[in-house]
Amino acid sequence: MDRVRIMVVDDDRRMRRLLARFLFREGYEVEEAPDGSVAAEVLAARPMDVVLTDVRMPGMDGLELMESIRDHSPETAVILMTAFGTEDSRAEALEEGADGYLSKPFQIEDVVTIIRRLLERRRERA
Amino acid sequence: MRIATRLILLLLTIVMTLMGAYAVMTLARTQARVEDELMKKADHIGLALAVGTLHHLEDGDDAGVQDVVDRISHHDDVLGAAVFAPGGRLVAVGGDLSWPRGPHTQVYKADELGYLDPDEGGPAFLCAIRDESGALQGSLRMELREMSVLPYVLPERNRILIVIVALTAVIAASVYWITRRLIARPLGVLSSGAEAVGRGELGHRITLDDCGEISDLAESFNRMAENLEVSNRECVEERERIRRVVDGMPEGVVVLGKDGRVSYWNRAMETRFGMRFEEAVGRPLTAALPCAEDRGIQGACQQLAEGRKTNFRIEDVRLRLAPDRTVTISGTVLPDPDSIVREVVMVLSDTTERRAAELAVRESELRLRTVMDSVLEGIITIDANGTVRSINSAAQKMFGYAEPEIVGQNVRVLMPEPHASRHDTYVGSYLKTGEKRIIGVGRQVEGRRRDGSTFPMDLSVSEFAMESERMFTGTFRDITEKLDMEQQLQRSQQLALVGELAAGIAHEIGTPLNVISGTAEYLLTECGPSDSRADDLEGIREEVGRITGLVKRLMEFSRREDPRDDVVQLDSVLDSVLLLLGRQLEKASVEVKVAVEEALPPVRGDRDEIQQVLLNLVMNAWQVMPRGGQLDIRAGCEEAADGYQAVLRVADTGPGIPEEDIERLFEPFYTTKPPGEGTGLGLSIVRRIVDRHGGRITAQNRTGRGAVFELRIPAIDREA
């Protein structure tokens, strides 16, 4: 079975690197993108299982990216990251169609937990 | 009896008395002379008889004695004679003797010729007959014929009587003439003159020449009459003048005589109340003035007349003769200490116009009062001493005093210290120096309620003069609510600022914090259980966790935690918002137009939050019109799919919203304002609040100029 592919999209390089290293060590195949448009390009070429993206980014932001993913590869799970979101913004994010939601700052372990849960759910559906 | 007659009688009495006295004296003198004559004769005859009889008696010759007696007795003057012996024996008697012929016991002395009165046995002459040695030889008694002396006496008596009669006649005649000429006639003239004057012919004068004092009297009389005429003329003129004055008075004057009938009735009574003087005078009051039966006027007059009262005043009397007028009747008495019953003077003043004016004043006062009481501002009027003269109902409500409790009190009771004790000084120094500290300026001051609590108010004072008295009007408004709201606004602005700051910080530091804690977390997983760095890494993670908690708390703090659930009337919220911003809008020359439908339904929600929404909308509109413009606010009710909605539209005449911005307008941190001016949070908060109330807010540009924001909130189902 292929390794689970995860794309990390964040304009903050350190954040992006941190998540990528962490997920890689967890055994996932990780791609990185600094913004939505780069990510969309990569995704068009090669779909991912999970996209972990920041909402606010220059150029194409996280929500737009999510829309584009829904259009091209609805199978891909999208987890939104926002800065200090409230419960309201969490609800908003899920309403927009996100599969998961993280409010910065979060514990990196939580990322793993969410991804695992998403993958399990997908496997159950399949 | 006429004075002349009386005078004549008096004079006659005096004259006759005098004449009588004179006659008596004269007759007495004549009598004395006759007696003298008789005595003389008796002396002669007695001596002759004594001498003739002496020697016959010595000789005891009774015949001789008788002879002598007889001879003597023949004498014309002798009536009779008798001679007695010393023992009393009658010796001889001759002529016609009147006494009884008995023994004569009388002892006579020869040299004495005595007269014996008739009641002693006379009238007779008695005489002793003595010899040369003086021895008594006998005595004689002789009676003479008086007639013999009459020829001497009568002529004298007659003459006297004639003189008396003549004198009396002359005196009586002259007295009559004198009294007639000097007294009776002038007195008559005087008397008829006095009568004429008494009849009122004061011009009557008396001419009496040559009447001595009576002429003087006549002159005095004339002077008196002249003075009387002058003073009477003055009196008449004075009376005429007073009558003219009284007739010229606009008030009616009625004088009641002691008999209770009208004795005077002036011109005003004639002209105003319609009854002529001649008709009224002499009639009883109730006949002349029929209204006197009403309102106890007649009784009051009677009480005055009887001294049970000194005056009375009855207002608003309607006269039957002039029913369209109202009259005030006042009565008083003419003082008369000599009489129990007094004259009454009534003055009738026509008060119709005055009453009407008073009524008008009262009406306008009432109107003013109504206006004053209907305004929301408190209005208090004080005089220069600080005494409260009036207070409207709004002010009464604000201060908790009822009008009668505060009017007349010094206004300082409505102030807290130290102004209360200084207020007199404030007013005094203004009155002295004219330096205005509050008048015309308006100030925020504190008021003191009846219960001692204080409240802030906006006070403006104006001055006015009423009948040269300086008065001050204070107009004020309780601004507790306004201040509260201002405070609230300030607080919510502060909170928004804090929230904005917190959100900004959170937004900016979220990722860095995440990198720090994430890195620490990552490194921690790579540390072995005995690695001493694990503890440090854990420390980093924990510290970042604290920062995260802090920022979260900050954000929560800036957000209202527990929205209330009130029934909110949008128009009342709008009122308070406009009240709050009214002055600034005015200053910025923003003209505000508000149209609220009567059927505007209430909504359910947090009043403060809704107020914040409206505040935001109005403030935004104001801020896009820095050079002034029109702010048009309409509120109403519209039916939507899920029921009725309260709809509020706020339209400005600013530059409008760039089309590309309209969609993002309500996003947080999105602002169309220059950097540093807007937070980009205002409208996002607005939307958040509106969302929470189940409503919607939209913005669009108006055709022409400006933008309009539309707020819709579901109305409370009224039937529910």
Side-chain angles (χ1 to χ4, degrees), chain B residues 173-188:
Chain B
S174 55
V175 160
Y176 179 74
W177 184 82
I178 286 165
T179 53
R180 181 110 187 106
R181 172 80 178 76
L182 293 183
I183 297 173
R185 192 179 58 85
L187 278 183

Side-chain angles (χ1 to χ4, degrees), chain B residues 103-337:
Chain B
H104 206 277
T105 55
Q106 200 94 23
V107 176
Y108 303 100
K109 291 175 182 158
D111 50 350
E112 287 171 22
L113 181 65
Y115 177 73
L116 196 64
D117 283 330
D119 50 335
E120 287 174 297
F125 288 101
L126 300 173
C127 182
I129 302 168
R130 296 174 192 276
D131 60 14
E132 282 165 356
S133 61
L136 186 68
Q137 296 300 327
S139 61
L140 70 86
R141 175 188 177 107
M142 180 173 62
E143 290 183 24
L144 293 182
R145 223 186 285 269
E146 271 185 51
M147 285 296 286
S148 59
V149 291
L150 274 181
Y152 302 102
V153 177
L154 271 179
E156 185 124 345
R157 196 180 58 194
N158 291 348
R159 207 173 63 229
I160 287 165
L161 282 175
I162 287 163
V163 166
I164 286 172
V165 168
L167 267 176
T168 306
V170 166
I171 287 169
S174 55
V175 160
Y176 179 74
W177 184 82
I178 286 165
T179 53
R180 181 110 187 106
R181 172 80 178 76
L182 293 183
I183 297 173
R185 192 179 58 85
L187 278 183
V189 172
L190 275 175
S191 140
S192 62
E195 252 169 56
V197 170
R199 276 195 308 273
E201 299 167 20
L202 294 179
H204 189 92
R205 293 291 178 272
I206 294 167
T207 38
L208 275 180
D209 297 329
D210 204 17
C211 286
E213 284 90 343
I214 293 184
S215 293
D216 297 345
L217 181 63
E219 236 164 78
S220 302
F221 176 89
N222 285 345
R223 268 203 305 279
M224 183 192 78
E226 205 164 306
N227 288 341
L228 204 59
E229 194 181 12
V230 168
S231 57
N232 183 61
R233 199 164 49 234
E234 284 172 357
C235 231
V236 167
E237 281 169 9
E238 183 67 21
R239 199 176 59 189
E240 197 49 42
R241 212 158 57 81
I242 288 173
R243 179 177 287 242
R244 272 204 304 276
V245 168
V246 176
D247 275 344
M249 281 169 63
E251 287 85 10
V253 177
V254 177
V255 181
L256 295 181
K258 292 176 182 173
D259 55 359
R261 285 164 188 272
V262 173
S263 67
Y264 180 69
W265 182 271
N266 78 339
R267 184 75 46 81
M269 290 299 293
E270 293 185 352
T271 54
R272 280 183 182 260
F273 305 124
M275 185 175 267
R276 295 183 48 71
F277 175 80
E278 292 78 16
E279 295 168 37
V281 164
R283 298 177 71 179
L285 179 61
T286 45
L289 197 66
C291 73
E293 289 169 12
D294 311 334
R295 306 281 306 275
I297 297 169
Q298 168 74 23
C301 285
Q302 207 153 347
Q303 287 183 329
L304 284 189
E306 291 165 6
R308 284 185 281 149
K309 236 178 163 181
T310 54
N311 54 50
F312 70 81
R313 184 182 172 86
I314 299 172
E315 297 193 345
D316 289 335
V317 178
R318 280 191 190 278
L319 301 184
R320 294 192 193 162
L321 291 173
D324 54 330
R325 319 296 295 171
T326 53
V327 175
T328 292
I329 299 184
S330 49
T332 178
V333 285
L334 292 181
D336 183 359

